[in-house]
Amino acid sequence: MEKSKIVMGILAAATLGACQSSKVKISGRLVGADARQVYIEQLSAGGKAPLIDSVSLDDAGNYRFELKNVPSTPSLYTISYNGESVPVLIEGGDRLTINSAGSFARNYTVEGNEESSLLREFNLAYVEGAEKLNDIAAAYARNGQSEEELKRLAKAYSDEYLRIKRAQLAFIVEHKASIAAVYALSQRLPGDRYLFNGQGDAVYYRTVADALEERYPQSPYLASLHAEISRLDALQNLSATVSEAGFPDLEIADMYGKKVRLSSLEGNVVLIDFWSPSLGNSNALNADLKQLYEKYHDSGFEVYQVAVETSKPMWINTVQEQSLPWISVCDLRGEASPALTIYNVRKLPANYLIDRKGDIVAKDLYGTSLEQQLEKLL
C-alpha cells in the first residue's frame, strides 16, 4: 500500500513538472520545395515579430526546434519556410509536430496543441478566401471584359468578401476565450483598415478581452486589447459629436491642459492641421503657415493644429521653439489618436480647410494653393 502511494506520488510530481515545464520542442518534415532553412519568430503584443531561431532541414526534410523559458500562457509565433509563414500558439511544455508537403502555407498540419490546431482552422480558411479575392480582382483588371462580365465579377468579389468577414466574426465570437481569437481580430483583407466597420469593432475586442481575462489573466495580449478598446470607444465618442455644420468635432487638450473644441471656431475659416513635431519638414511647413496666419488671421482665419505625438515634452518644446501662434492641441496617443481615424488621416502632414458655413471645402493644401483658397473664402 505504501509502495503504491509512493509510486503515485512520483507520477503526480512528474506530471506536475511536465505541466510546468518551460521547454518547447517543435519538429516535423517539410518537403516539396528547395528551401533549406526554417525560421521561428514570436509575435509580440504590439504585433512585431522578432526572430527567435532558425534551423536547417536535413536531407529528408526533417527539422527540430528547442525553445527554453517559454511562458505557460499561450503566445503567438510564426513558422516560416520557403517565403511563407504560418501562425502557431505555443506554451511551455508543448511538443508540436508541424509537417507540410508542397505549399507550406496551404498544406501544413499541426499536432500536439489544441490552440494551434484551432488557429490553423481559421488561418487556412482565411488565406484561401484572400486568394480568391485576389483572383477575382485580377480577372476584373484584365482588358477586354464586357460590362456584363465586370458586373458578375464585382458581385462575386462582394459575395466572397462578405462570406470571409462573416466567417471571421463568427470564429472570433465562437472562440472568444482562445488566443486564436486575438490573431483573428488582427487579420485584415486587402484595403481594410477596420475589422468590421470601425466604430462597431469595440464589441468584438471587448468580447475577447473579457473571455481571456477569465481564462488567461496573465496573457500579454490583454493590455493591447484594452488599449484598442479605449481607442475605439474614444472614436465612437468623437463620431457622436459631429456638428450640424457637417464636420466631425474634436475636443483635445492644449499644452496647458485646457480642452479646446474645434466647433468653438465656427464662423471662421478654419484649417485643421495634422502634423508631427518629429517630422523633419515640420519647421518649414509651420514657417510658411505662420506667414499666412499673420496675413489672414484678422480677416477670420484660424488654425486648429493637432500634433501626432506621444511625448509631451517633445510637443511642447517644438511649439515653443517655433513660436506657433495658433491653437495647438495633442492627445498624446500618437498614431493611435482617434482624431486620425475620424478624419481618415493616412499620412502626415495632412490638413482640412473648413469654410465659414462649417463645410469642408478642401484638403492637403499648402503654400500658394492654401493662400489662393483663403483669398476666395475670406
Side-chain angles (χ1 to χ4, degrees):
M1 184 70 174
E2 289 299 319
K3 184 177 181 182
S4 176
K5 286 182 179 179
I6 292 172
V7 172
M8 291 298 291
I10 293 172
L11 288 174
T15 302
L16 181 62
C19 291
Q20 293 178 337
S21 172
S22 63
K23 295 181 180 179
V24 169
K25 294 182 180 179
I26 305 171
S27 60
R29 186 168 182 246
L30 307 177
V31 296
D34 295 330
R36 308 309 301 167
Q37 290 292 119
V38 189
Y39 305 90
I40 183 168
E41 300 169 305
Q42 183 175 12
L43 287 170
S44 68
K48 296 181 180 179
L51 179 66
I52 301 297
D53 198 4
S54 64
V55 295
S56 299
L57 300 179
D58 66 16
D59 293 341
N62 298 303
Y63 70 94
R64 182 184 182 88
F65 286 107
E66 291 193 12
L67 307 180
K68 297 179 180 180
N69 302 318
V70 178
S72 58
T73 300
S75 297
L76 284 161
Y77 291 74
T78 60
I79 308 292
S80 301
Y81 171 68
N82 196 34
E84 297 180 320
S85 298
V86 301
V88 292
L89 282 159
I90 299 173
E91 58 185 282
D94 274 347
R95 301 292 185 268
L96 291 183
T97 302
I98 303 175
N99 298 319
S100 179
S103 170
F104 182 47
R106 297 184 188 91
N107 302 322
Y108 77 102
T109 60
V110 179
E111 297 177 3
N113 180 301
E114 183 180 346
E115 285 265 26
S116 287
S117 298
L118 191 62
L119 186 55
R120 174 184 174 274
E121 174 190 327
F122 168 79
N123 187 59
L124 286 178
Y126 197 82
V127 168
E128 181 182 355
E131 288 177 347
K132 285 183 180 178
L133 287 181
N134 287 335
D135 291 342
I136 296 171
Y140 190 94
R142 284 198 290 266
N143 294 327
Q145 305 277 22
S146 67
E147 186 174 343
E148 182 179 344
E149 177 64 8
L150 291 175
K151 287 181 179 179
R152 187 192 69 79
L153 288 170
K155 185 178 185 305
Y157 190 97
S158 177
D159 290 346
E160 180 62 16
Y161 177 90
L162 291 174
R163 186 197 66 77
I164 297 169
K165 279 294 177 185
R166 291 191 188 104
Q168 182 182 14
L169 298 178
F171 181 92
I172 290 167
V173 173
E174 183 179 354
H175 304 290
K176 59 188 178 182
S178 167
I179 304 295
V182 177
Y183 179 83
L185 280 171
S186 68
Q187 299 310 293
R188 299 291 181 270
L189 292 171
D192 274 1
R193 187 171 184 178
Y194 308 115
L195 169 66
F196 179 51
N197 66 356
Q199 296 173 35
D201 289 355
V203 66
Y204 297 101
Y205 282 87
R206 189 172 283 110
T207 297
V208 174
D210 290 345
L212 282 187
E213 202 133 32
E214 186 174 339
R215 184 179 181 186
Y216 299 119
Q218 304 302 318
S219 174
Y221 302 105
L222 281 170
S224 59
L225 286 173
H226 287 304
E228 182 63 10
I229 291 167
S230 296
R231 188 187 74 82
L232 291 168
D233 284 345
L235 172 61
Q236 193 161 16
N237 291 336
L238 278 177
S239 298
T241 63
V242 176
S243 70
E244 292 181 1
F247 62 86
D249 203 359
L250 300 175
E251 186 179 35
I252 306 175
D254 63 14
M255 57 194 292
Y256 305 105
K258 178 184 176 183
K259 290 188 175 181
V260 184
R261 293 188 74 92
L262 176 61
S263 57
S264 68
L265 304 177
E266 281 187 294
N268 297 288
V269 172
V270 182
L271 183 74
I272 312 172
D273 187 57
F274 295 90
W275 72 300
S276 171
S278 58
L279 282 178
N281 60 353
S282 70
N283 200 340
L285 291 172
N286 282 332
D288 290 342
L289 186 55
K290 277 202 293 185
Q291 292 183 4
L292 295 178
Y293 186 78
E294 292 169 3
K295 183 176 181 179
Y296 293 103
H297 176 60
D298 290 341
S299 300
F301 176 48
E302 291 287 353
V303 175
Y304 188 91
Q305 191 173 56
V306 182
V308 181
E309 181 57 66
T310 57
S311 169
K312 191 171 184 178
M314 163 75 82
W315 166 50
I316 292 177
N317 289 341
T318 305
V319 170
Q320 291 179 333
E321 285 175 2
Q322 297 184 16
S323 301
L324 304 183
W326 45 70
I327 297 168
S328 295
V329 297
C330 182
D331 62 11
L332 301 177
R333 296 190 182 187
E335 294 182 359
S337 172
L340 297 179
T341 303
I342 202 168
Y343 273 92
N344 196 32
V345 175
R346 297 177 178 270
K347 62 179 182 63
L348 295 175
N351 63 42
Y352 290 86
L353 190 63
I354 301 174
D355 66 12
R356 292 186 189 274
K357 297 178 182 178
D359 296 323
I360 296 176
V361 294
K363 64 178 291 188
D364 294 340
L365 296 177
Y366 298 92
T368 303
S369 298
L370 176 57
E371 184 167 12
Q372 289 173 350
Q373 281 292 333
L374 291 176
E375 285 284 351
K376 294 177 183 178
L377 298 174
L378 295 169

